[in-house]
Amino acid sequence: MKKFLPLILVLVALLMFSACSDHEKAEVVIGKSDLFTEEEIQAAVDLVLKDGFSKDAGATITKIWYEEVSSRRAVEIYMENGMGSVNGVLEENVMILFSDFKTGSKTQSLNPNDKYTGWSWILIRDSQDGSWKIDDCGY
């Protein structure tokens, strides 16, 4: 058994490293906000990194950020012309994040092996203490 212990340890280490997602390598930038706490923004970022591309194999977010001025402009458009105009969500429960990402070779909805910049993620919640959910994404 002692002979196999180093081999077992190496295999366990390799499995641990291969289980790490590429999303953990994403650059995260959280700008100053008068509307949301850093924890609220981080929860939204974590959701996008975990579930944002769950249906699009191989897409990897390389950078994700919250910038309040741009987010607020996009929220206004969402509330006037997007799903916010019909789904009953309150403006204070809408956050928009932006990201850069690259697609994999097996993407189903975007160009394979391509880079996209400034992709927006619209997140909504039922109440100020509710959990974020992804409502939409795109340009």
Side-chain angles (χ1 to χ4, degrees):
M1 183 68 183
K2 287 183 179 181
K3 292 179 184 180
F4 294 109
L5 189 57
L7 179 60
I8 292 171
L9 291 175
V10 168
L11 289 174
V12 168
L14 287 173
L15 286 173
M16 287 174 49
F17 285 119
S18 67
C20 292
S21 164
D22 283 339
H23 297 313
E24 293 173 6
K25 299 175 187 172
E27 176 185 356
V28 177
V29 179
I30 298 176
K32 181 182 178 314
S33 177
D34 295 325
L35 302 171
F36 302 107
T37 65
E38 189 171 335
E39 291 78 19
E40 289 173 304
I41 298 169
Q42 187 64 55
V45 166
D46 291 344
L47 174 64
V48 170
L49 291 175
K50 179 179 175 251
D51 294 338
F53 283 117
S54 61
K55 295 178 182 145
D56 199 349
T60 303
I61 294 175
T62 55
K63 180 178 179 181
I64 186 166
W65 67 93
Y66 176 80
E67 193 280 313
E68 191 143 285
V69 172
S70 299
S71 179
R72 294 319 310 158
R73 276 192 225 123
V75 167
E76 287 175 13
I77 294 167
Y78 170 81
M79 294 302 293
E80 291 174 15
N81 304 311
M83 288 298 296
S85 65
V86 295
N87 65 9
V89 68
L90 298 176
E91 190 169 331
E92 61 263 21
N93 292 321
V94 179
M95 179 190 303
I96 298 187
L97 299 173
F98 302 95
S99 69
D100 298 340
F101 67 94
K102 59 184 176 180
T103 57
S105 61
K106 296 181 180 182
T107 184
Q108 296 177 2
S109 57
L110 301 166
N111 295 331
N113 300 314
D114 207 351
K115 293 180 182 178
Y116 291 82
T117 60
W119 188 265
S120 62
W121 296 92
I122 301 169
L123 297 109
I124 62 173
R125 59 187 179 184
D126 294 330
S127 64
Q128 193 168 12
D129 57 350
S131 298
W132 292 110
K133 69 177 184 176
I134 299 171
D135 188 52
D136 202 359
C137 65
Y139 287 118

